[in-house]
Amino acid sequence: MTTGVIPYTHWSYFPDEASAQRCAEELADYVTRIRESAADDGAWLLLAGRDVEIERLVERHDEVEAIVTRHGGDYDGGETTYLAGEPVADPMLTGEWGAG
């Protein structure tokens, strides 16, 4: 099994900003960003990222999905972003990549 730590970002959508904010508060050990969905559908996007041990990735994924669901959100999965073959913090989370 691969070992190490990688930056990992979870994506989820909420029907309103208030529920996204409540979820973000429960994810206090993550860097979070909330903004209106680019789909112009009234939904709010919550990005939640942090470094995670690869060995615990599935466990952390399941934890975040449960928290999102508890707050009425739709969990859209998570990902690691790669640049030149190396995992990097998601530019959508860090603000290095605009809303599009």
Side-chain angles (χ1 to χ4, degrees):
M1 173 174 255
T2 305
T3 60
V5 175
I6 57 172
Y8 194 80
T9 302
H10 303 270
W11 291 62
S12 53
Y13 295 89
F14 292 82
D16 54 63
E17 185 178 14
S19 56
Q21 183 61 44
R22 285 189 297 274
C23 184
E25 290 169 6
E26 190 167 344
L27 295 169
D29 59 339
Y30 287 80
V31 174
T32 58
R33 300 288 182 263
I34 298 170
R35 62 195 220 193
E36 289 183 89
S37 169
D40 195 30
D41 58 1
W44 286 80
L45 169 64
L46 168 62
L47 300 172
R50 66 172 284 173
D51 289 345
V52 64
E53 294 176 35
I54 294 170
E55 294 174 340
R56 295 193 62 219
L57 186 58
V58 172
E59 178 184 341
R60 294 299 280 183
H61 186 277
D62 292 346
E63 288 174 4
V64 172
E65 183 174 15
I67 292 168
V68 167
T69 301
R70 187 167 52 247
H71 288 279
D74 292 321
Y75 186 73
D76 196 26
E79 64 187 2
T80 296
T81 302
Y82 287 85
L83 179 62
E86 294 295 319
V88 296
D90 187 332
M92 292 288 286
L93 187 65
T94 63
E96 296 170 38
W97 186 1

